[in-house]
Amino acid sequence: MTEAARQFVTPLSLQVASQDRVYTSLFEEPMAHISLPAKADVMVVAPATANTIAKLALGIADDLLSTCFLSFQGKMIIAPSMNWKMYENRTVRKNLDTLASFGVLQVGPEAGALACGEEGTGRMAEPADILEAIRSVLTPKDLAGEKIVITAGPTREYLDPVRFISNRSSGKMGYALARAARDRGAEVTLISGPSCLKKPDGLAFVGVETASEMRKAVVEAVAGRATVLIMAAAVADFSPKTKSAKKIVKTGEMALALSTTPDIVSSVSSQAERPFIIGFAAETGRHPGRAAAKMKNKKMDMIVFNDVTEPGAGFDVDTNRVEIIDGKGRTKLGIMSKYEVADAILDRFIEIRA
Ligand code: CTP
């Protein structure tokens, strides 16, 4: 804790919360500025004030934190936090650029209410996002060089400006795949239907609504020399034949004429130069055979089957229980977090493509 940090929180509070020793001074333990960094894989400065950022950028070493920075040789993350006008200041920007050129990863800041009572960009990134950055810098980059296009979430097919039909999907599986692939060094394009999830950092994001918009975005992204396409989106299978420009007035019962939407995965798998294609088959009941048939019919290289009626494998939950089917066999996995499922899918991709 720097002196400024101790104006906000006492060392005792952090010691109790972390159940660990808190260091505050350069001289309380001789050589702590050498021994502490030597033990660490990652160094995180959160929150990083304009003053600390300036010191780190210039190599000023006048307290425990800034001396630790100079002797540290691992991965470094900063989470800036300050008033928005200070964050816009050109000296601060220059110092942040300097730190970026040293390979220091910056997380945030975010827009919102600031400690000074003003609104703007300067809030420290959420702890969950800082944790994600830590995980990202520690992950081996075994997907470096891959260009992965991932679809996620549902699509919406409009009847009129206020009504649509859609598929049930939170987008959690596709977003977890995008984060896992990004953390493993891939260049990721995430094409997402409407979802409440926060857009992940460090990837190209394309927001779409309808199946035909998603198809267009996928074809464009794949044409940019994608090596892998992962279709985790729950694409609506049907679209109203006609879309009314005005809200349809309710007059009683109504029959809806539907046409099928374009099959996105097939429009890519039929191309001569095509990426490795991974699809999903969410079924109600244990039908891995149906999933395997879909893989074959749509000319996919791998399909991830899950039974949405099983506990811990349905919609809106953070876990999944899947079976990975590909040309070389079937891998049934136990219940795990969607991020772990994503890693398992990417592991299998590396394994079978080798
Ligand atoms: N998919 C697609 N385009 C569509 C529909 C589905 O690319 N219009 C993709 C999905 O993203 C998924 C795979 O195809 O990766 C299988 O989706 P699913 O809806 O299970 O397949 P369908 O062929 O639509 O079969 P069903 O009749 O069970 O809906």
Side-chain angles (χ1 to χ4, degrees), residues 37-209:
K39 282 191 281 191
D41 296 309
V42 186
M43 181 168 167
V44 184
V45 182
T49 60
N51 182 50
T52 294
I53 289 166
K55 289 204 290 186
L56 301 187
L58 293 171
I60 293 172
D62 63 351
D63 61 6
L64 184 58
L65 186 136
S66 52
T67 47
C68 280
F69 175 72
L70 291 189
S71 82
F72 182 61
Q73 293 187 308
K75 307 270 196 243
M76 174 87 195
I77 296 171
I78 51 163
S81 169
M82 65 196 77
N83 171 273
W84 66 272
K85 280 173 264 182
M86 293 171 72
Y87 183 62
E88 280 183 6
N89 179 279
R90 62 187 174 180
T91 311
V92 172
R93 287 303 163 103
K94 190 161 164 263
N95 290 334
L96 286 169
D97 288 346
T98 303
L99 289 177
S101 74
F102 296 163
V104 173
L105 178 67
Q106 181 182 329
V107 198
E110 289 176 5
L114 305 174
C116 53
E118 292 180 11
E119 292 265 336
T121 298
R123 282 174 73 90
M124 187 183 83
E126 291 298 322
D129 294 328
I130 299 173
L131 201 61
E132 194 167 311
I134 294 170
R135 181 161 60 187
S136 158
V137 298
L138 289 176
T139 307
K141 307 296 174 212
D142 57 358
L143 288 173
E146 300 289 346
K147 288 189 169 188
I148 309 190
V149 176
I150 300 171
T151 65
T155 66
R156 289 176 177 171
E157 311 304 321
Y158 284 90
L159 277 65
D160 67 23
V162 297
R163 302 182 181 102
F164 55 81
I165 53 175
S166 189
N167 271 9
R168 203 174 153 195
S169 165
S170 62
K172 284 186 172 176
M173 192 61 240
Y175 279 59
L177 272 159
R179 287 190 285 119
R182 172 205 62 194
D183 292 348
R184 293 171 71 158
E187 198 181 301
V188 176
T189 303
L190 174 62
I191 299 171
S192 175
S195 165
C196 299
L197 300 175
K198 200 175 151 209
K199 172 179 157 295
D201 286 331
L203 46 76
F205 183 89
V206 186
V208 298
E209 264 200 290

Side-chain angles (χ1 to χ4, degrees), residues 231 233 235-237 261-265 279-281 290 294 298 300:
M231 284 294 304
V235 185
D237 288 309
T261 54
D263 193 76
I264 301 172
V265 79
F280 274 75
R290 256 175 73 86
K294 277 182 195 175
K298 299 193 184 199
M300 298 189 267

Side-chain angles (χ1 to χ4, degrees), residues 208-268:
V208 298
E209 264 200 290
T210 65
S212 71
E213 278 170 24
M214 184 173 277
R215 194 183 85 91
K216 190 166 166 277
V218 167
V219 169
E220 255 169 45
V222 166
R225 300 191 110 69
T227 54
V228 186
L229 168 65
I230 309 182
M231 284 294 304
V235 185
D237 288 309
F238 303 102
S239 180
K241 272 201 165 149
T242 52
K243 182 186 159 191
S244 166
K246 286 199 178 131
K247 188 176 166 184
I248 299 167
V249 180
K250 184 170 64 184
T251 51
E253 260 185 32
M254 175 183 164
L256 203 56
L258 302 171
S259 51
T260 53
T261 54
D263 193 76
I264 301 172
V265 79
S266 298
S267 57
V268 175

